[in-house]
Amino acid sequence: MDFHIFCFILITIFILYSPCYSDKGYYGFMKDATLAPTYARFDYIVIGGGTSGCALAATLSQNANVLVLERGGSPYDNLAATNIENFAITLLNTTPKAWSQLFISEDGVYNHRARVLGGDSVLNARFYSRAEEAYVKMAEWDIDEVEAAYEWVETKLVFKPQVMGWQSALKNGLLEAGVVPYNGFTYLHINGTKIGGTIFDPAGHRHSAADLLAYANPDGIVVYLHALVHKILFTTTREGERPKAYGVIYQDANGVFHKAELGKNAMNEVFLSAGAIGSPQLLMLSGVGPMAHLESHRVNPVVLDQPMVGQGMGDNPMNAAIVPSPQPVELSLVQVVGITRFYDFIEGGSGLNVSFNLTHKLFDGMLDLLNQRLRLNIIENVGVVFHKVDGPLSRGYLELRNLNPDDNPSVTFNYYREPEDLKRCVKGLETVIKVINSNAFSKYKYPGVTARELLNVMLGLPINLRPRHETSTFNLTQFCIDTVMTIWHYHGGCQVGRVVDKNYKVIGIDALRVIDGSTFLKSPGTNPQATVMMLGRYMGQRILRERAAFREKDCDYSTVVPTKDETSIGYSSSKKKKF
């Protein structure tokens, strides 16, 4: 029951999950894995049809034959879930086939991972904002190619939000609190206050990374849903030789195992795009990771002793204040962001409504608590202002619990372990207090209620499993520790320079790359989804250019000869068409 109360509170706080999907139907190349042959070969195999995987696969399909293996279902299958009043049901549904998979970090913080084509872009707050210029330079990406890749995503998915009363007051409150200048509507990451993009269109329909598959060459791609990859296959090597990825083993919903291999072409590769939880987990399950840890779980064989797999796990910690309003507020998601001088972010959302089909018991319980704490008579007009620490220094790790790839591994983020992160949290909450107390925001806050009282309400809510301390009521440092939550921007585990190189190739292994948020040293921009989708497109184009350059050297491309089992989806690398 505590988890359900927590989810209800998150709905109150963020209105973050509104699984509204495109009504375009489904793609002809998208099938259930039960229809897959037991064996087939492809030029490229993409593990994970998520935020990066869809962009990557759509791009690669223009000049190669691509297999996408997604462990979840299609966001286009359940049209009822597109209605905003049903989003709470979708969020709370964490059954084995649901789109949202609950996990709780070892820090005692509730979290989730997506299990649906399109990944977290199907479940998130829909806010769209690019990475900061310094991030692009640090990653050593080509600026012009990055710009083009962002635009490729934006053309298909991104819109300008309609900013109304509560969000406008938040914007003006941020400016009054000193988060200046005002930068208007922009996708760019600029210090000050701005309005960002949204992946909701003007009619209120969600778009997601799954929509990027509309760019794909339908003759060059197949997407299998409910395809659970168990391991990546590597060539058996003699001592001193580098292992090479050559295929994968995956399981369909009926429990049948399938094998997909790369065709006989030196440029063919396997891509791991299973996210910051799934990618390091699958590397370990495939025998790539810390040897002692793998041996303790009887992973056999250990292909490569790589102690950095699963290390560097980070999550942007978030702390929030619920703000009851004396007047009606619009239903709004994250539209406005304040990027502070100390580089942290302040955002907000509004519009609690009982039409979300939550039980009245939970709804009334939440309001009763607010009424008791603040001595108010609140009906349902509630907003939230929250702060999140960008690029926290505190880092953790991921470890296996068992050998089931569908189970959650053990994840520790070590929120606020580093004193500098705590100092920034305190600065951020001090700014939140200024925003709530500002003249601009006053019409959306009950008179006589202090911002500190609103913060203290959080101490009585089951927002995490961490202990509460009496000092939290007057000490912001302890408040940060006690009420920390996730903003779902976790990253790391396969980081650049540690597990993969600058081209996202797994160090020490051939024909295997990781292209997703697990490679990040920090989360890009205010919200990472824009850059994760961009990265899939950016790297896809680079890889295709490498392939074309290799062909120009007059290297032989061996035609794959299909077996009887391959003929339904097998591909010829030379003819680029289905058998």
Side-chain angles (χ1 to χ4, degrees):
M1 177 60 74
D2 279 352
F3 169 66
H4 287 77
I5 294 173
F6 163 74
C7 289
F8 169 75
I9 293 163
L10 292 185
I11 293 161
T12 305
I13 293 176
F14 307 112
I15 320 298
L16 281 182
Y17 293 102
S18 202
C20 297
Y21 310 109
S22 167
D23 56 2
K24 298 173 183 175
Y26 62 90
Y27 305 105
F29 51 77
M30 186 173 70
K31 307 172 184 180
D32 193 273
T34 54
L35 301 176
T38 56
Y39 177 79
R41 293 198 222 179
F42 295 85
D43 297 333
Y44 297 122
I45 299 171
V46 179
I47 303 169
T51 314
S52 61
C54 286
L56 175 65
T59 302
L60 293 175
S61 71
Q62 298 304 315
N63 197 28
N65 297 306
V66 182
L67 170 65
V68 180
L69 297 171
E70 167 53 47
R71 73 185 182 119
S74 166
Y76 307 115
D77 282 350
N78 185 359
L79 294 180
T82 64
N83 299 324
I84 193 167
E85 63 266 21
N86 290 329
F87 89 95
I89 294 174
T90 304
L91 170 63
L92 294 175
N93 181 8
T94 55
T95 57
K97 295 182 180 180
W99 297 338
S100 178
Q101 182 177 1
L102 169 70
F103 77 92
I104 303 172
S105 72
E106 301 304 307
D107 315 276
V109 175
Y110 297 108
N111 217 314
H112 91 282
R113 40 191 305 215
R115 184 166 42 198
V116 60
L117 187 71
D120 281 324
S121 67
V122 174
L123 299 174
N124 64 21
R126 304 176 288 283
F127 192 70
Y128 182 96
S129 186
R130 297 181 181 184
E132 57 269 44
E133 185 176 338
Y135 192 101
V136 174
K137 291 180 179 178
M138 180 183 69
E140 299 181 15
W141 295 331
D142 181 277
I143 293 178
D144 291 337
E145 291 179 24
V146 166
E147 175 74 18
Y150 274 128
E151 291 177 355
W152 180 84
V153 173
E154 290 155 9
T155 298
K156 185 69 68 177
L157 303 183
V158 191
F159 304 87
K160 181 179 180 180
Q162 182 181 4
V163 177
M164 299 173 67
W166 193 93
Q167 288 283 341
S168 181
L170 175 63
K171 175 196 71 177
N172 293 328
L174 284 163
L175 295 172
E176 191 177 323
V179 187
V180 293
Y182 177 54
N183 296 308
F185 169 68
T186 179
Y187 299 148
L188 301 181
H189 186 97
I190 310 170
N191 282 4
T193 296
K194 73 164 192 170
I195 298 167
T198 177
I199 57 175
F200 249 114
D201 66 26
H205 298 302
R206 174 191 282 273
H207 295 253
S208 74
D211 289 6
L212 297 175
L213 291 172
Y215 281 125
N217 170 14
D219 293 326
I221 187 172
V222 62
V223 177
Y224 284 126
L225 303 175
H226 306 113
L228 179 63
V229 177
H230 277 250
K231 71 185 324 182
I232 302 166
L233 301 173
F234 300 97
T235 54
T236 302
T237 62
R238 288 171 288 184
E239 187 173 350
E241 291 184 348
R242 290 165 62 96
K244 181 178 181 179
Y246 72 89
V248 299
I249 298 291
Y250 66 97
Q251 184 181 26
D252 67 29
N254 291 336
V256 176
F257 284 89
H258 305 251
K259 186 177 186 180
E261 292 187 1
L262 299 175
K264 295 179 181 178
N265 182 320
M267 299 303 291
N268 292 350
E269 295 180 90
V270 174
F271 299 100
L272 191 48
S273 298
I277 304 299
S279 288
Q281 178 188 25
L282 192 56
L283 275 183
M284 290 184 186
L285 292 175
S286 303
V288 180
M291 180 178 289
H293 180 61
L294 301 187
E295 289 179 339
S296 71
H297 284 273
R298 298 183 180 179
V299 174
N300 185 37
V302 175
V303 176
L304 180 67
D305 181 15
Q306 178 30 300
M308 296 309 296
V309 173
Q311 297 298 307
M313 296 297 296
D315 189 17
N316 295 33
M318 179 193 69
N319 298 83
I322 292 175
V323 188
S325 171
Q327 65 179 44
V329 298
E330 76 272 16
L331 173 60
S332 72
L333 305 159
V334 177
Q335 297 176 341
V336 173
V337 61
I339 303 173
T340 67
R341 291 190 179 93
F342 48 95
Y343 305 111
D344 285 358
F345 314 130
I346 297 171
E347 300 171 351
S350 64
L352 176 64
N353 193 305
V354 290
S355 65
F356 290 147
N357 293 326
L358 292 167
T359 66
H360 285 280
K361 180 178 179 181
L362 288 180
F363 179 80
D364 292 341
M366 176 68 173
L367 298 184
D368 285 347
L369 180 56
L370 287 168
N371 290 337
Q372 291 168 13
R373 287 291 180 108
L374 303 178
R375 302 172 302 281
L376 302 174
N377 182 22
I378 303 166
I379 304 302
E380 59 186 43
N381 298 306
V382 178
V384 67
V385 182
F386 58 90
H387 163 264
K388 53 184 175 179
V389 174
D390 178 43
L393 298 177
S394 304
R395 292 286 157 169
Y397 54 90
L398 177 151
E399 294 180 330
L400 297 176
R401 291 187 191 276
N402 55 43
L403 301 184
N404 185 346
D406 207 31
D407 285 351
N408 294 315
S410 169
V411 185
T412 303
F413 293 113
N414 287 324
Y415 297 103
Y416 295 133
R417 172 168 286 188
E418 294 296 329
E420 180 60 28
D421 294 341
L422 272 174
K423 290 178 183 178
R424 289 169 61 188
C425 177
V426 170
K427 284 184 180 179
L429 290 179
E430 288 172 346
T431 307
V432 166
I433 290 171
K434 291 178 182 178
V435 171
I436 294 173
N437 288 337
S438 66
N439 290 328
F441 201 74
S442 60
K443 65 188 293 186
Y444 293 107
K445 180 180 77 71
Y446 278 91
V449 176
T450 68
R452 184 66 226 221
E453 283 181 298
L454 295 173
L455 282 174
N456 287 345
V457 168
M458 303 301 295
L459 293 168
L461 304 177
I463 55 176
N464 60 34
L465 298 178
R466 297 162 75 89
R468 301 292 188 266
H469 298 82
E470 187 176 345
T471 54
S472 291
T473 60
F474 56 85
N475 184 310
L476 284 178
T477 299
Q478 190 63 52
F479 179 90
C480 289
I481 296 170
D482 289 359
T483 66
V484 64
M485 294 177 282
T486 183
I487 195 66
W488 296 282
H489 296 169
Y490 50 82
H491 51 280
C494 299
Q495 292 178 307
V496 170
R498 298 169 183 173
V499 176
V500 300
D501 64 18
K502 290 289 185 179
N503 293 310
Y504 301 91
K505 296 180 178 181
V506 175
I507 298 168
I509 293 180
D510 292 332
L512 179 63
R513 303 196 205 209
V514 182
I515 300 178
D516 61 22
S518 71
T519 65
F520 293 162
L521 300 177
K522 69 180 288 290
S523 182
T526 61
N527 300 68
Q529 72 166 342
T531 303
V532 177
M533 288 188 280
M534 179 281 295
L535 181 62
R537 170 65 173 176
Y538 175 88
M539 286 305 302
Q541 289 196 299
R542 291 201 150 212
I543 291 162
L544 285 182
R545 286 200 298 270
E546 291 173 5
R547 191 178 191 91
F550 184 79
R551 183 183 292 115
E552 289 173 3
K553 293 180 180 179
D554 293 326
C555 293
D556 256 341
Y557 270 48
S558 302
T559 300
V560 176
V561 180
T563 66
K564 182 177 180 181
D565 283 341
E566 291 179 271
T567 54
S568 62
I569 62 161
Y571 293 93
S572 163
S573 295
S574 59
K575 294 182 180 180
K576 295 294 182 291
K577 64 181 182 180
K578 295 181 182 179
F579 288 113

